Amino acid sequence: MQIKIFPNETELALTAADIFEETITKKPNAVLGLATGASPVLTYKELIRRCKAGVISFADVITFNLDEYCDLPRADKNSYYTFMQENLFGHIDIKPENVHIEDGNAADFEAECKAYDAQIAAAGYIDLQLLGIGTNGHIGFNEPGDAFTDGTFRIRLSESTIKANSRYFTDSKMPEYALTMGVGSIMKAKKILLIATGSAKADAIYNTVNGPVSPHCPASVLQTHPDAILLLDEAAAARL
Ligand code: PGA
């Protein structure tokens, strides 16, 4: 696991964008695994800037998002579909048919998850997977538990995640379930980039780097990935 520590979020985002640029330049039809939440926002802003400046193009890029809430209309302001439109897809030259996000309102969740895994496999798996990390060490919505998860599945969100994310649900109740890529799906990515900033992430980062590889801190599995890079600010890296 490579660890890079930055004095501020702007420099961190520039490095993250450089890694995306390198991936897309080498392979214009790269398969990207994308994340939502606060962590990737500045990186997405920089990717939008580079796309508008003609430095990179997403015309042939294929994307798969990590996760989506269940029982939330796609058009809801808090859906990850809306997040991705507002923070990335609506501002770049990606083809809508190349964008994949789980359908959290599918009538048959099991079939939806199987189909999602099949689409990732058919695309040749993910070249570059972007991750945030929960304060409890989750990646995607893989919450701490007794076993590492495998493919895409439906999860009941932990109290800690509900507490962390309910700040966005100011006028509605936060969903308690989500569909998420499993740890197995994430680990199949050729390269993994995890972004963490702020002191609230310091314990999770400590456990990710120094703890045992354990499903009680799902991100610790990255210790066993051949090409995982952690991009941290000083506050998130404070306990290393
Ligand atoms: P955040 O969420 O980027 O909004 O902190 C990360 C996560 O929960 O995985």
Side-chain angles (χ1 to χ4, degrees):
M1 195 152 57
Q2 261 189 76
I3 300 172
K4 295 181 197 242
I5 302 170
F6 298 86
N8 58 61
E9 283 191 56
T10 307
E11 287 187 37
L12 186 160
L14 291 178
T15 296
D18 286 348
I19 295 169
F20 272 94
E21 182 179 325
E22 197 191 327
T23 302
I24 300 169
T25 305
K26 263 197 209 141
K27 186 178 173 190
N29 61 347
V31 182
L32 304 179
L34 298 179
T36 52
S39 303
V41 169
L42 281 187
T43 300
Y44 290 159
K45 275 205 168 77
E46 179 60 16
L47 291 177
I48 291 167
R49 194 193 66 72
R50 291 184 196 191
C51 184
K52 285 194 194 298
V55 177
I56 48 174
S57 168
F58 292 84
D60 295 319
V61 162
I62 297 168
T63 66
F64 289 91
N65 263 75
L66 279 169
D67 43 23
E68 177 60 286
Y69 290 115
C70 292
D71 312 314
L72 194 65
R74 205 168 86 150
D76 190 279
K77 69 179 173 52
N78 285 311
S79 77
Y80 287 162
Y81 175 85
T82 300
F83 177 97
M84 291 307 299
Q85 292 305 316
E86 288 178 351
N87 288 283
L88 186 64
F89 298 146
H91 310 282
I92 59 174
D93 58 348
I94 196 158
K95 297 188 180 86
E97 64 269 29
N98 285 349
V99 164
H100 304 86
I101 304 182
E102 297 95 331
D103 178 1
N105 296 296
D108 181 342
F109 289 126
E110 222 167 284
E112 171 64 16
C113 293
K114 268 202 183 129
Y116 202 66
D117 287 337
Q119 284 176 313
I120 295 173
Y125 296 101
I126 289 165
D127 292 299
L128 175 62
Q129 175 68 57
L130 183 61
L131 298 176
I133 183 170
T135 52
N136 62 3
H138 75 204
I139 46 176
F141 272 137
N142 292 278
E143 303 287 26
D146 292 334
F148 283 118
T149 57
D150 187 14
T152 304
F153 70 109
R154 181 171 184 253
I155 187 155
R156 185 173 210 286
L157 299 173
S158 70
E159 284 311 314
S160 126
T161 298
I162 291 174
K163 197 170 153 216
N165 288 11
S166 53
R167 68 184 190 275
Y168 298 113
F169 291 82
T170 45
D171 45 20
S172 61
K173 195 170 170 288
M174 183 176 153
E176 289 177 6
Y177 288 88
L179 301 188
T180 182
M181 272 187 211
V183 169
S185 326
I186 293 170
M187 288 295 282
K188 285 198 185 94
K190 292 165 195 115
K191 190 182 197 75
I192 298 181
L193 202 54
L194 183 147
I195 294 178
T197 60
S199 57
K201 304 290 172 69
D203 288 346
I205 290 298
Y206 174 84
N207 291 326
T208 298
V209 175
N210 294 323
V213 175
S214 157
H216 294 288
C217 175
S220 65
V221 76
L222 299 178
Q223 291 178 29
T224 68
H225 191 278
D227 192 5
I229 308 174
L230 307 194
L231 303 183
L232 313 173
D233 72 354
E234 283 162 4
R239 290 196 58 205
L240 297 185

